[in-house]
Amino acid sequence: MEGKPVCSHCSGQAVYLDRESGTHLCSRHLKESVESRVLSRLMQEEPLPEIIGVAFSGGKDSTALLAALVVLKEKIPSRLIALTVDEGIGGYREETIRHAKDVCSRLNVEHRIITFPDLFGLSLDDFMKSSSRKACTICGILRRRALEVLAQQEGVRLLATGHNQDDHAQTTLMNAFSADIKKVFAGSGRTSQFARRIKPFASVSEREVTLYAILSDLFMDLPECPYAGDALRGEVRRLLNRFEQEHPGSMRNLAHAEEEIRSRLKNKVKLQPLENCKVCGWPGSGEICQVCTVLKEQKEYKNNSSTGQD
Ligand code: SF4
Ligand code: ZN
């Protein structure tokens, strides 16, 4: 009978197999491999700013990212600060916020929380009572702004998000399906004049990220958002997972191909300059920003419902 697989770098018991290269890794070498990829991403941003903000939802990706950055503390001169947005989603956010607070206190990282009611006067649950838009659309628009406000308040110039390689590959395929070239090029780095965004897990697979959180003893099985259910992303995710199973390395190649195209065309594609919103003054694309559009629609919907119109 075959014994348990052993790490390709030491005699430790393997916990992970990179199916593309056939490399087995023990917990120490898996963690080191993830950390070295995170570090090399960060080094592309040199000189690093005084503060690095981490968009910290409390989910497994941002928890693993925060843990990796804490391990790398001695190699990174910046101070870390975790930034959490509480959208106000009953039966889901309370538990994830509790977990987020617990992780920050265990890792000894400063933590700031901003809520939708603080900023927009309503929770996401309230918005959903008076809106015809999908929850994830409203949530995405408002959460992005909330994070930017928090980053600005805290003097954060570099904002790290927990997006992993699988997310990256899924987004690439979804953008290709929608043929929305602007989305491809308007991705990281352009959305705010305050904080540049980076994705330190861009070359780390979801499986590795999950294992990293588990091996750091910070994984928690949290409830799923009741509004979750982006049908297209779910389908693309299933499709890519099946493809990866049959052709290991596909996800990595797709994510790399997109980065390569983006970097080669970076200076050749002219993006529209940001304009200041006529209502709130925040930089965005178009005369009225998406946040002000959502807030205006919500008020109109409410007024129409109270006067009995459609
Ligand atoms: Fe927001 Fe949608 Fe994510 Fe829920 S699933 S937190 S509504 S983006
Ligand atoms: Zn605005």
Side-chain angles (χ1 to χ4, degrees):
M1 207 173 87
E2 277 187 32
K4 291 205 170 124
V6 167
C7 176
S8 305
H9 302 307
C10 72
S11 56
Q13 189 181 320
V15 295
Y16 178 76
L17 166 65
D18 180 329
R19 295 180 61 244
E20 190 187 4
S21 64
T23 311
H24 282 97
L25 295 175
C26 66
S27 60
R28 177 165 76 90
H29 282 108
L30 172 76
K31 287 183 82 179
E32 283 180 6
S33 154
V34 169
E35 286 151 13
S36 83
R37 276 172 280 164
V38 168
L39 186 62
S40 80
R41 276 271 152 178
L42 284 170
M43 288 308 140
Q44 291 169 13
E45 300 294 325
E46 271 198 306
L48 288 169
E50 196 186 318
I51 308 171
I52 296 179
V54 180
F56 184 54
S57 69
K60 68 168 177 16
D61 296 310
S62 55
T63 296
L65 177 59
L66 199 59
L69 292 172
V70 168
V71 170
L72 293 167
K73 200 158 63 186
E74 274 157 28
K75 296 182 178 142
I76 306 172
S78 317
R79 178 162 66 88
L80 291 178
I81 181 159
L83 307 176
T84 299
V85 178
D86 180 353
E87 304 89 350
I89 304 172
Y92 157 68
R93 223 43 187 111
E94 301 87 343
E95 205 175 323
T96 47
I97 295 280
R98 251 198 314 277
H99 178 62
K101 286 182 182 168
D102 179 52
V103 168
C104 287
S105 97
R106 283 170 63 188
L107 294 175
N108 204 14
V109 172
E110 284 178 67
H111 190 200
R112 301 282 180 275
I113 302 177
I114 195 166
T115 73
F116 274 14
D118 284 347
L119 206 52
F120 310 114
L122 295 175
S123 66
L124 186 65
D125 286 340
D126 292 331
F127 272 102
M128 291 323 292
K129 287 178 201 145
S130 51
S131 174
S132 52
R133 290 224 214 185
K134 283 188 184 156
C136 294
T137 308
I138 295 184
C139 185
I141 292 170
L142 301 185
R143 192 176 37 196
R144 179 172 283 272
R145 170 67 58 87
L147 257 181
E148 288 182 358
V149 169
L150 203 46
Q152 192 191 24
Q153 283 172 359
E154 299 300 325
V156 168
R157 308 290 300 174
L158 189 65
L159 184 64
T161 65
H163 295 98
N164 60 49
Q165 187 172 263
D166 297 36
D167 299 323
H168 196 168
Q170 288 156 16
T171 306
T172 303
L173 207 55
M174 286 164 73
N175 286 341
F177 285 159
S178 68
D180 190 340
I181 201 77
K182 259 202 300 191
K183 264 195 207 159
V184 177
F185 293 103
S188 61
R190 179 183 182 264
T191 50
S192 166
Q193 67 179 24
F194 306 115
R196 205 165 62 251
R197 289 180 181 240
I198 50 161
K199 298 172 185 166
F201 277 159
S203 60
V204 182
S205 72
E206 184 163 339
R207 272 174 64 224
E208 291 174 293
V209 170
T210 307
L211 260 176
Y212 192 92
I214 294 171
L215 296 171
S216 306
D217 202 19
L218 292 168
F219 181 82
M220 193 172 172
D221 209 1
L222 292 163
E224 206 186 333
C225 173
Y227 299 118
D230 181 336
L232 180 59
R233 184 170 288 271
E235 254 179 78
V236 167
R237 184 192 168 95
R238 282 190 292 281
L239 180 115
L240 280 176
N241 285 349
R242 205 184 59 228
F243 212 77
E244 176 69 27
Q245 190 66 27
E246 284 165 26
H247 309 281
S250 306
M251 206 105 76
R252 185 176 300 172
N253 293 342
L254 185 56
H256 281 183
E258 188 266 350
E259 267 186 44
E260 185 65 27
I261 293 171
R262 189 196 287 265
S263 85
R264 285 191 194 194
L265 295 183
K266 200 157 73 185
N267 301 322
K268 297 189 181 139
V269 176
K270 203 164 180 300
L271 293 169
Q272 266 189 340
L274 295 176
E275 332 179 14
N276 290 338
C277 169
K278 290 220 157 72
V279 180
C280 69
W282 202 270
S285 48
E287 283 194 355
I288 310 281
C289 73
Q290 286 187 307
V291 171
C292 289
T293 307
V294 165
L295 297 177
K296 185 167 161 269
E297 280 174 7
Q298 191 273 332
K299 276 199 193 104
E300 285 169 358
Y301 189 99
K302 221 172 141 203
N303 290 343
N304 287 345
S305 328
S306 61
T307 55
Q309 293 172 19
D310 270 347

